[in-house]
Amino acid sequence: MQKIRKTRKTARRRRKLNLLNFSMVLLVTAGLAYLASSLFLRSYNNELSTRIQQRNSETAVLQTQNDAVAVDIQTLEKKERVDQIASSNGMTSDSNSVITISASTDQAASGD
């Protein structure tokens, strides 16, 4: 009878040891997975931050170029410049054939 009790106790101990070993392996695996994922996420976050900074600097450069082009357009579309180029090519402006259209509502209301 004592031998049966000893075998039961050793079987219980083995089960407890197997469960304990499995728990320890699972804990270590989970800890390593946590460390690996946190390192990966940190490096990926740094990479994304770098990309954002690059895009912001590219946007600033393009905005500056757009502003410069807008100033050039305003300079090139001035009426005096167009008249000067036309007169240098022998063209003249006939003021009788020029029609000015305005968005005034006073003339439309009076019937003019």
Side-chain angles (χ1 to χ4, degrees), residues 38-97:
S38 67
L39 290 175
F40 170 74
L41 289 176
R42 184 174 296 145
S43 66
Y44 187 67
N45 189 22
N46 289 340
E47 180 184 341
L48 288 178
S49 178
T50 303
R51 284 185 189 175
I52 289 171
Q53 289 174 353
Q54 288 173 346
R55 297 300 183 257
N56 286 342
S57 65
E58 290 172 3
T59 303
V61 167
L62 290 175
Q63 186 63 41
T64 303
Q65 290 175 351
N66 285 344
D67 292 343
V69 169
V71 169
D72 287 342
I73 289 171
Q74 288 175 353
T75 303
L76 293 174
E77 70 181 3
K78 287 184 180 177
K79 185 180 182 324
E80 294 83 21
R81 180 183 170 277
V82 174
D83 289 341
Q84 180 186 12
I85 292 172
S87 65
S88 68
N89 288 326
M91 298 179 178
T92 59
S93 171
D94 185 10
S95 60
N96 292 331
S97 63

Side-chain angles (χ1 to χ4, degrees), residues 20-36:
L20 182 63
N21 288 340
F22 177 74
S23 299
M24 292 302 290
V25 168
L26 185 65
L27 179 67
V28 169
T29 305
L32 290 175
Y34 172 76
L35 287 175

Side-chain angles (χ1 to χ4, degrees), residues 12-26:
R12 286 182 192 163
R13 285 184 191 157
R14 285 183 189 162
R15 279 189 223 145
K16 285 183 181 179
L17 287 177
N18 286 339
L19 184 61
L20 182 63
N21 288 340
F22 177 74
S23 299
M24 292 302 290
V25 168
L26 185 65

